[in-house]
Structure formats: C-alpha cells, structure tokens
Amino acid sequence: GLTNNVISLIIEKTGLNRVKLNNELQKITSLFQNKNIDLKKLELLLNLKENDDFNKLKDMAFNGNKEKTNNLLSETNLENEKNIYYLNIINNRLQKLLELKKNRKSSNINDDIDNLKPPIFWKEKPNFAIQANKWCEKKILTMMRRTYKLEIELKSNSSINKNILFKKLMVDICNTANS
C-alpha cells in the first residue's frame, strides 16, 4: 500500500526533518502493520501542522513574504511564556540590520555582512542579505519603537492575549518590509 501519494504526504508533513520522519514512520508501521495504508487514516495520523521553529516565521516576516508568514503564523506554536524571548530575537535582528546600515563601507552587501561582529551564521546569510536590501534605517527604527512599546505592554498587562499582539507584530513586520 505504499504509493507515491503516501510518500509525498509523509515528506510534506514531516518537512524533511529526519527526527520527525523517523517518529512518524514508527507510528505508521505500528498502525498499519500487516494492513494496507489508508490515505485518510494516514492524514489523520500525520496531522503535524504545528511548527515550533520561530526563526522561520521571523525570517519570512522580515523578508516580507506575506503568504509564508500567514501560513507560519497559523502553524507555529508560540508559547506565551516565550513572548519576551521572541521579542529579543526580533530586536537582535533589527539591531544587526541597523548596525549593517550604519557601517556600510563597500558596494557589496555580502562583504559588509561578513564584517559584522559577532558574525552572522552562514545559514542565515542569504535571508539576512534579502532583509538588508528590504529594510532601510527609518523602517528599522520605527519597528524598534514598536517592539519596545509591545514589550512594555506585555510586561505590564497580564490580562491581555499576548499571542494575538505578538502575531499582529509579525504581520506588521511583514507589511513594513514590503512598504
């Protein structure tokens, strides 16, 4: 019962993550042992729409990719306790972009990115280069003020829905990147 549709579904749902793939394959073999694989039952078994990688969401928002940002907002599991941590990640990216803008020395952006201290991780360089081209100093400073206000609001008001405010911030970042 292993068809191309089944293989494609497994690959799509696990996102090429080997750990998730191994876990899901163990589930599949235990459920469908000595049985044909039913595509509908497999879809229910592989309902892995939750994504816990905030960095993908951050990168897509800073890149201005509205479609992927929207999909990741619905799929990413944002923990309430980590909202300040997420804000720190966003602020770090904004500070790195601002540092790059203020210290531009060459016409080649990749050379300027290589000169940043501490250096940008090699996997992040392509996304960082895209973001550096989209974000001007004015946009960066505006977004830094917005994140500062959100941090104060998150810390001072415990009765608000923090995830909604945080998701709105991600949409605002995406919209600002495209403005």
Side-chain angles (χ1 to χ4, degrees), residues 3-26:
T3 64
N4 285 337
N5 289 343
V6 170
I7 294 170
S8 296
L9 180 66
I10 294 169
I11 291 171
E12 175 188 329
K13 294 292 184 174
T14 57
L16 299 177
N17 182 329
R18 287 184 181 201
V19 174
K20 285 183 182 178
L21 180 62
N22 285 331
N23 289 339
E24 297 309 311
L25 288 175
Q26 287 176 358

Side-chain angles (χ1 to χ4, degrees), residues 102-126:
K102 287 186 175 183
N103 298 327
R104 286 295 306 260
K105 293 179 182 167
S106 69
S107 60
N108 186 351
I109 194 150
N110 290 323
D111 291 340
D112 291 333
I113 291 173
D114 289 337
N115 292 329
L116 287 173
K117 300 291 181 210
I120 301 293
F121 187 58
W122 65 271
K123 276 184 162 181
E124 293 182 22
K125 282 184 183 178

Side-chain angles (χ1 to χ4, degrees), residues 1-2 6 9-10 24-46:
L2 190 62
V6 170
L9 180 66
I10 294 169
E24 297 309 311
L25 288 175
Q26 287 176 358
K27 281 191 217 175
I28 293 167
T29 55
S30 66
L31 181 67
F32 294 107
Q33 195 161 12
N34 300 324
K35 298 178 188 173
N36 282 339
I37 297 176
D38 180 14
L39 197 59
K40 289 183 182 180
K41 285 184 182 178
L42 182 64
E43 284 180 4
L44 289 174
L45 182 68
L46 295 177

